[in-house]
Amino acid sequence: EKVVWVANSYKGLNESYPWKTFCPEVTSSEEFDPITAGILDQVLDKFGYGASLSDGGNYLQNNKVFNKSEILPVSCKIWELVQEGKPAVVEFSTTVLENTWWGIQGGNDVDVILIYLENSTDFNSDLPDDTQAEIAKGSDGSLASFPIYKTMFQNPPEAVGYTTPQTNLLAALGEYAVLQNQELFEGLMA
């Protein structure tokens, strides 16, 4: 089985988390807290952290399909790539767990490429000067919060919606992430 998983972010990694305590020597550690580290809910719930994230309006506790112990190496790889300025594209192989809620039998091996939306300083440095200047304006610029735009009121008074430049820049980052990892994708699709 092969999966390309795109995880869109509503929040960035917690840069003040003690990542260096756990990475790059990826070890099995009960002390690693991926929730405090800022790993996305839509990733964490697949590794069995859904109950810690669920409230009355969602069912994240029912989404576990991967072993909980596998979140540390995936998280470390995401963090390491972001620290290096590269797109956060992570490859891993695992065995799918049974999930009776979703009717998943489990037991099959799966190769996964996770495209995780995070900042890529390599991408940003290749942008035209005027685009870099607009990003540098932060919350005062037309590209505020790039690449992790707000899910609501990014462009007030609009409740939901992005401008064409915001969307195009996000699409360009996605294209860059795939092209920079072309060999991974070709290997998965072979």
Side-chain angles (χ1 to χ4, degrees), residues 174-183 185:
E175 176 187 31
Y176 180 84
V178 171
L179 291 175
Q180 293 300 304
N181 292 279
Q182 183 174 347
E183 289 180 10
F185 288 96

Side-chain angles (χ1 to χ4, degrees), residues 11-12 21 24 30 50 75 94 98-99 103 106 108 118-119 133 143-144 148 151 154 159 166-167 172 178 186:
K11 63 179 181 177
T21 302
E30 298 288 324
S75 300
T94 189
E98 180 182 24
N99 182 312
N108 55 316
E118 256 295 346
N119 191 40
L143 299 171
I148 304 171
T151 56
Q154 173 70 28
Q166 289 168 342
T167 305
V178 171
E186 287 174 348

Side-chain angles (χ1 to χ4, degrees), residues 53-59 61:
L53 303 165
S54 292
D55 58 30
N58 61 46
Y59 298 96
Q61 72 271 12

Side-chain angles (χ1 to χ4, degrees), residues 13-27 29 31-33 37 72 75-84:
L13 294 175
N14 179 355
E15 293 298 324
S16 65
Y17 188 75
W19 286 98
K20 291 182 181 179
T21 302
F22 303 100
C23 311
E25 296 104 25
V26 178
T27 59
S29 175
E31 297 168 11
F32 178 68
D33 181 358
L72 179 58
S75 300
C76 284
K77 186 64 177 169
I78 292 168
W79 177 77
E80 289 165 2
L81 289 166
V82 171
Q83 294 304 298
E84 294 169 6

Side-chain angles (χ1 to χ4, degrees), residues 24-186:
E25 296 104 25
V26 178
T27 59
S28 177
S29 175
E30 298 288 324
E31 297 168 11
F32 178 68
D33 181 358
I35 297 169
T36 304
I39 299 295
L40 287 173
D41 302 0
Q42 66 173 294
V43 172
L44 291 178
D45 67 333
K46 309 309 181 289
F47 291 90
Y49 287 88
S52 302
L53 303 165
S54 292
D55 58 30
N58 61 46
Y59 298 96
L60 298 176
Q61 72 271 12
N62 297 318
N63 295 340
K64 182 179 181 179
V65 290
F66 303 135
N67 193 311
K68 201 170 194 173
S69 66
E70 295 175 332
I71 193 63
L72 179 58
V74 171
S75 300
C76 284
K77 186 64 177 169
I78 292 168
W79 177 77
E80 289 165 2
L81 289 166
V82 171
Q83 294 304 298
E84 294 169 6
K86 300 185 182 327
V89 177
V90 177
E91 179 183 38
F92 65 97
S93 297
T94 189
T95 301
V96 176
L97 301 177
E98 180 182 24
N99 182 312
T100 56
W101 177 267
W102 291 110
I104 298 170
Q105 289 181 350
N108 55 316
D109 294 330
V110 64
D111 296 321
V112 179
I113 294 178
L114 170 60
I115 306 169
Y116 189 100
L117 180 61
E118 256 295 346
N119 191 40
S120 168
T121 56
D122 287 358
F123 171 77
N124 292 357
S125 67
D126 286 344
L127 292 170
D129 292 341
D130 60 334
T131 305
Q132 289 185 45
E134 196 61 34
I135 291 171
K137 291 179 184 177
S139 61
D140 294 328
S142 64
L143 299 171
S145 304
F146 175 79
I148 304 171
Y149 298 130
K150 295 177 183 177
T151 56
M152 295 193 67
F153 297 106
Q154 173 70 28
N155 300 298
E158 295 287 328
V160 179
Y162 302 124
T163 65
T164 300
Q166 289 168 342
T167 305
N168 288 345
L169 189 57
L170 197 56
L173 175 59
E175 176 187 31
Y176 180 84
V178 171
L179 291 175
Q180 293 300 304
N181 292 279
Q182 183 174 347
E183 289 180 10
L184 283 181
F185 288 96
E186 287 174 348

